[in-house]
Amino acid sequence: MAGPDPRFAAYVPSPVDRQAPATAEVAKATEDDVPALAVLQSRARGGSARDWENRIRRACGSERGMVVTAKVSGEAVGYANVAFLPEHPVDHAPAGYYLTGVTVAPTWRRRGIARLLTLWRMGWVREQDAAIWCVISARNRASLDLHRELGFDHVLIGASFQGVEFTGGEGWLLRADPPRQ
Ligand SMILES: CC(C)(COP(=O)(O)OP(=O)(O)OC[C@H]1O[C@@H](n2cnc3c(N)ncnc32)[C@H](O)[C@@H]1OP(=O)(O)O)[C@@H](O)C(=O)NCCC(=O)NCCS
């Protein structure tokens, strides 16, 4: 069996020591945020900060999406993306608004930052569309728990969704529908 993927947080459903939830400010990122977000992402997931800078800058300029930051006392401690994606021509993942790339700096984890970033993006998508989509590696159990807790349910399991090929060969396509009245 393959070992854990170092890009994902170790799966600890019930940590022994917990820090208080952080009070973070969540907002749409601007061009000025890009260099710090690129460093955060390169440290958390590997790859060069320069490559990440280009990718994050493109995401900031997206017409039907955005980059969102979480800051504590002005310091970026996490960020995430949301974008409208058309139906994928190869793996046929459906068109819709997708939450992607949530990353929290390792020293700020387990303090509710990803939950805040996800709730903020869900609120934004709900103003555009009923359904909210995301794709997650089956091996990223921390991220699966985070999203399921916020109302995402699994729709399909596959090797690739929206062109994302999963470590270990299996990932989930998930959708959150509006809460029932
Ligand atoms: C996954 C990640 C974004 C979570 O960020 P975070 O700010 O630590 O998450 P939160 O504190 O908001 O956690 C919310 C819930 O998610 C789940 N969760 C988060 N991290 C977890 C972990 N390491 N193990 C188990 N569950 C976890 C828990 O249900 C948690 O609620 P709880 O703390 O009340 O038990 C962060 O670990 C990270 O950046 N990982 C690397 C990048 C990545 O894998 N991104 C997701 C790509 S789809």
Side-chain angles (χ1 to χ4, degrees), residues 7-13 18 45 102-104 108-115 135-136 140 142-143 145-147 149:
R7 294 170 305 165
F8 304 152
Y11 184 62
V12 185
R18 276 191 177 273
R45 297 218 215 186
V102 57
T103 304
V104 174
W108 284 93
R109 286 185 188 166
R110 221 53 192 274
R111 299 189 65 185
I113 303 279
R115 188 183 286 123
V135 301
I136 303 175
N140 197 346
S143 186
D145 278 13
L146 162 74
H147 288 86
E149 177 205 298

Side-chain angles (χ1 to χ4, degrees), residues 118-171:
T118 304
L119 285 169
W120 195 100
R121 289 174 297 156
M122 291 175 78
W124 183 80
V125 174
R126 293 262 188 254
E127 290 172 11
Q128 337 288 320
D129 205 350
I132 311 169
W133 298 88
C134 70
V135 301
I136 303 175
S137 164
R139 289 168 66 186
N140 197 346
R141 296 179 67 193
S143 186
L144 286 171
D145 278 13
L146 162 74
H147 288 86
R148 282 186 299 205
E149 177 205 298
L150 296 177
F152 283 85
D153 272 329
H154 117 268
V155 175
L156 280 175
I157 293 179
S160 159
F161 294 118
Q162 286 295 357
V164 177
E165 288 178 15
F166 303 103
T167 323
E170 194 173 278

